[in-house]
Amino acid sequence: MDYRFAARMRNAPESFLKKLFDVSSDPEIISFAGGLPDSNLIDVNGIKDSAAFVLDEEGREALQYTTTEGHLPLREYIAERYQKRLGISASADNIRIVNGSQQCLDIIGKIFIEKNDRIGIESPGYLGAIEAFSLYEPVIRSVEMNDSGPDLNAFAQLISDEKIKFFYGIPNFQNPTGRSYSKDTRKRIGDIISETDSLFYEDDAFGELAFNQVPRVPVNKYAPANVIICGSFSKTVAPGMRIGWIMAPREIISVFDAAKQAADLHSNYLCQKIMNHYLRNSDYDRHLKEVVSVYSRNCRLICDLLDDMADTGITHTSPEGGMFMTVNLPEGLSSMKLFEEGIRRGVAVLPGIPFYAGSGGEDMIRLNFSNTDEENIKEGMARLSGLLTDLSSF
Ligand SMILES: Cc1ncc(COP(=O)(O)O)c(C=O)c1O
């Protein structure tokens, strides 16, 4: 049968994830390739208590249809937390609950991108964003990331010359590199973008995972009318609940509502109510401290073990939060070869290729540090070290 798919599906980048999931399910392979938070840190008992409360006290309402906007008390909680943590003026009216922040990428793509519109993205950038936006057939312009964020001259040029619709970036503990924008870069981006009709899509999936728990000023603070900011409880509470949010100017939110309503009517109401009860009745800040203490320990251990491999010619980023880092490979060693050989030797890394909208990533891999315990990190890194020594001596 010759299925007549829409032409836009031809732009869907080949999914790397299927291959990855196959690999992750093999118990013999120690995987740094995935992107899962640590299951042991999910507060199952706390969520169970909140679920029991919601079902006992408000079960009939929680299991009914609701409005597209999302549960008001949860939106108020998010707005209050923005004010308290980041000092940005936030109102529940500007916040919508989505089915995981991944849904924001799709809906923002749907409401802003016309075929061949220009948009900007960090290089390397989040592969899930490249996949989501690509379906709307934009021309994607990449801006190289350095240690303090995207190259600002190239960024300014995209705004002034290319008139991009929006630039998608992750200022805190970026996926894949783990890098963060400096304070000055955040302000400069705000200054460059304000008074233009381009937007900055600020994906803050990892902002709460700062190892030192000190909040960083969002770009939103410097140009609120030009910034869409998205967040998620996936990395901090539980990804399976699929609760994320968007905060944006009212004009954007009303168009967003129309698209979200057409897509799914509303996000899972039961989970929204459980999340709201959980956040308000547990010690969320203490929970976050526990999460980052594990992730920072893992990250430090991996960085130290990678430093021990420096004579193979690798260099790596040193994240101060989040779940990911990248490793630059010695000249001539391809990330695909390292991936394929790694599988044979029982260690999985993620080649950098899908993190580039154009070409790139042959000389880089991403490592996840949230979902491997100390013993496996040591064994997995020993396997990687052996592999690098063997492959880089060719
Ligand atoms: C940068 C970034 N944004 C968004 C998402 C989507 O997360 P979720 O839909 O679970 O909120 C992810 C998932 O890994 C991510 O890394």
Side-chain angles (χ1 to χ4, degrees):
M1 172 78 191
D2 192 10
Y3 297 106
R4 294 183 293 157
F5 293 112
R8 79 180 79 88
M9 293 313 295
R10 282 199 291 271
N11 291 327
E14 193 192 342
S15 181
F16 221 85
L17 299 181
K18 162 95 181 59
K19 202 165 177 178
L20 211 78
F21 279 124
D22 295 346
V23 163
S24 318
S25 56
D26 182 341
E28 297 302 310
I29 294 176
I30 297 174
S31 179
F32 300 99
L36 306 186
D38 186 342
S39 307
N40 295 315
L41 294 168
I42 295 175
D43 181 7
V44 178
N45 286 331
I47 295 170
K48 190 164 126 192
D49 290 346
S50 291
F53 177 88
V54 168
L55 285 167
D56 286 346
E57 301 296 321
E58 318 167 11
R60 295 198 182 279
E61 190 200 328
L63 294 165
Q64 231 341 329
Y65 281 119
T66 185
T67 54
T68 305
E69 289 89 332
H71 189 39
L72 181 59
L74 180 59
R75 291 189 285 132
E76 286 168 345
Y77 178 92
I78 294 164
E80 282 156 24
R81 197 163 173 89
Y82 270 134
Q83 282 161 7
K84 205 171 66 181
R85 263 185 81 237
L86 302 172
I88 54 180
S89 68
S91 150
D93 293 343
N94 295 67
I95 294 173
R96 294 294 182 258
I97 305 299
V98 289
N99 190 27
S101 62
Q102 188 70 24
Q103 188 179 38
C104 291
L105 295 160
D106 179 53
I107 294 182
I108 291 299
K110 188 178 275 178
I111 67 178
F112 278 106
I113 302 174
E114 314 247 23
K115 188 172 179 179
N116 293 328
D117 270 351
R118 286 169 165 65
I119 64 167
I121 192 166
E122 299 157 338
S123 179
Y126 171 47
L127 81 110
I130 297 172
E131 284 176 1
F133 298 145
S134 293
L135 293 181
Y136 297 100
E137 307 181 271
V139 175
I140 302 182
R141 296 285 189 230
S142 302
V143 173
E144 202 153 316
M145 281 285 278
N146 55 47
D147 279 336
S148 53
D151 179 284
L152 285 172
N153 289 331
F155 177 81
Q157 209 172 10
L158 284 193
I159 306 295
S160 62
D161 299 357
E162 302 246 7
K163 311 256 182 275
I164 52 168
K165 278 247 169 104
F166 62 82
F167 184 91
Y168 169 83
I170 310 171
N172 293 319
F173 324 119
Q174 195 232 21
N175 183 357
T177 62
R179 283 171 168 151
S180 297
Y181 296 10
S182 67
K183 196 166 178 211
D184 185 52
T185 296
R186 293 164 197 250
K187 181 168 181 327
R188 299 260 318 269
I189 285 181
D191 290 347
I192 293 166
I193 207 146
S194 61
E195 311 289 323
T196 73
D197 60 4
S198 295
L199 298 171
F200 184 77
Y201 183 140
E202 182 163 25
D203 186 339
D204 198 22
F206 305 105
E208 296 264 21
L209 296 185
F211 294 159
N212 63 6
Q213 284 292 278
V214 176
R216 297 168 185 225
V217 185
V219 176
N220 170 284
K221 184 151 186 168
Y222 302 111
N226 292 71
V227 174
I228 294 167
I229 184 164
C230 292
S232 174
F233 292 112
S234 289
K235 324 294 181 193
T236 54
V237 180
M241 291 175 79
R242 309 304 302 128
I243 307 282
W245 68 89
I246 178 172
M247 182 169 80
R250 292 287 281 280
E251 298 89 329
I252 295 177
I253 288 293
S254 70
V255 179
F256 188 91
D257 283 345
K260 161 104 178 138
Q261 186 163 41
D264 65 1
L265 302 181
H266 61 78
S267 300
N268 183 319
Y269 192 25
L270 175 63
C271 279
Q272 293 186 63
K273 276 181 167 278
I274 294 170
M275 182 66 79
N276 178 59
H277 184 274
Y278 176 74
L279 293 166
R280 290 174 183 276
N281 292 280
S282 64
D283 191 343
Y284 184 43
D285 288 315
R286 215 192 75 203
H287 169 71
L288 288 172
K289 257 195 207 133
E290 207 181 308
V291 172
V292 297
S293 82
V294 175
Y295 291 0
S296 63
R297 204 176 338 118
N298 290 352
C299 180
R300 214 169 317 119
L301 178 57
I302 294 183
C303 285
D304 288 348
L305 294 169
L306 288 171
D307 288 342
D308 293 343
M309 301 175 210
D311 59 352
T312 62
I314 59 160
T315 57
H316 63 89
T317 57
S318 299
E320 293 173 358
M323 295 170 26
F324 304 104
M325 68 173 73
T326 49
V327 176
N328 284 318
L329 302 177
E331 214 180 310
L333 175 55
S334 104
S335 55
M336 274 312 289
K337 174 137 179 140
L338 192 66
F339 171 72
E340 273 151 18
E341 272 301 314
I343 299 303
R344 257 172 245 136
R345 303 232 201 149
V347 58
V349 298
L350 187 58
I353 296 160
F355 298 99
Y356 287 80
S359 59
E362 290 84 3
D363 57 354
M364 184 267 273
I365 55 169
R366 186 191 77 176
L367 300 180
N368 165 264
F369 53 77
S370 57
N371 196 31
T372 314
D373 63 19
E374 189 178 327
E375 194 185 328
N376 276 312
I377 288 175
K378 286 182 179 159
E379 175 57 30
M381 284 292 129
R383 291 179 194 176
L384 183 64
S385 174
L387 186 57
L388 279 168
T389 306
D390 292 350
L391 291 179
S392 48
S393 57
F394 275 101

